[in-house]
Amino acid sequence: MTDDEWPPGFFDRQDSADDAEFYVPPRLVTHLDDAAIAAVSALYNELGVPDGRVLDLMSSWVSHLSGEPAGGLVVLGMNDVELRANPMAEQVVVQDLNVDPRLPFEEASFDAVTCCVSVDYLTRPVAVLREVRRVLRPGGVVVLTFSNRCFPTKAVRGWLSTDDDGRVAIVRAYLEQAGFDGVRTALRTPPRGGGDPLYGAWARIGS
């Protein structure tokens, strides 16, 4: 299944204008509460993300890693100011994945690829995740974390039209359609905790 095979209108957005215009103003803020941010870091630690070379997709001024990756951190996103403010970044790439989902990296060049609270903005997620699979080394892991907070004008219609369980199913489907096996998903914050819910979906490349 490709991105074109999802229901008609699934990837439509309220604001279809050029994303580059939307992301011109730097937003040096966090988009989750402290407990949800801690849950992101904890999941990364459990999966060994900081241990190798990491690519953080749709990144910003913070990547929520507990420490600097041993193999270096590459951040790819839309705003150069935000990316260059990331204290752990070794390399900065400004790219709109909705315009070009191809990642400008060689095959098997990363041990982990992360994407925090941004998968809901992708209009070609399966194509992007196929590229993620290409650039991951054997044994490498992709980790997508997401919540119920977003810029609603830029999130795709299918994401906005469902609930948290539906969003978990969507992200699982994206990964499976991109060729990932053994996808796991979990709520990483306490249920009914009163804060931002934080969900994770992850999978590894076979060795």
Side-chain angles (χ1 to χ4, degrees):
M1 188 171 184
T2 67
D3 293 312
D4 293 335
E5 297 176 68
W6 283 74
F10 187 94
F11 295 112
D12 289 350
R13 297 178 296 170
Q14 296 175 36
D15 179 3
S16 59
D18 188 349
D19 288 340
E21 297 178 7
F22 182 81
Y23 289 103
V24 165
R27 296 176 174 88
L28 300 177
V29 298
T30 54
H31 302 284
L32 292 167
D33 63 25
D34 290 345
I37 290 171
V40 175
S41 299
L43 177 59
Y44 289 168
N45 287 343
E46 287 180 24
L47 298 173
V49 171
D51 296 341
R53 182 165 175 79
V54 178
L55 170 62
D56 189 19
L57 293 181
M58 306 174 81
S59 187
S60 182
W61 67 283
V62 60
S63 293
H64 305 312
L65 296 166
S66 62
E68 190 168 337
L73 171 67
V74 178
V75 293
L76 183 151
M78 292 288 293
N79 188 284
D80 185 69
V81 173
E82 291 180 14
L83 297 175
R84 293 191 183 280
N86 192 314
M88 294 186 184
E90 173 188 89
Q91 179 182 350
V92 166
V93 179
V94 177
Q95 180 175 335
D96 185 349
L97 294 175
N98 288 338
V99 172
D100 184 0
R102 295 171 296 179
L103 298 176
F105 310 108
E106 295 181 359
E107 293 184 10
S109 51
F110 292 95
D111 299 291
V113 178
T114 61
C115 182
C116 181
V117 294
S118 293
V119 66
D120 41 321
Y121 305 122
L122 287 173
T123 60
R124 301 166 71 182
V126 177
V128 170
L129 290 171
R130 283 177 177 157
E131 279 289 285
V132 167
R133 193 171 184 274
R134 180 184 67 80
V135 303
L136 276 172
R137 294 168 178 157
V141 63
V142 56
V143 191
L144 308 177
T145 50
F146 49 98
S147 186
N148 57 9
R149 293 177 57 179
C150 65
F151 297 119
T153 60
K154 284 298 184 181
V156 299
R157 180 181 297 172
W159 188 270
L160 297 176
S161 65
T162 189
D163 58 12
D164 287 348
D165 289 341
R167 294 178 187 115
V168 171
I170 287 169
V171 178
R172 174 186 287 277
Y174 288 168
L175 286 164
E176 291 176 345
Q177 290 163 17
F180 286 96
D181 298 319
V183 177
R184 297 188 61 188
T185 62
L187 173 63
R188 301 291 301 187
T189 47
R192 298 177 297 279
D196 295 332
L198 192 286
Y199 294 87
W202 63 95
R204 290 192 181 275
I205 297 291
S207 56

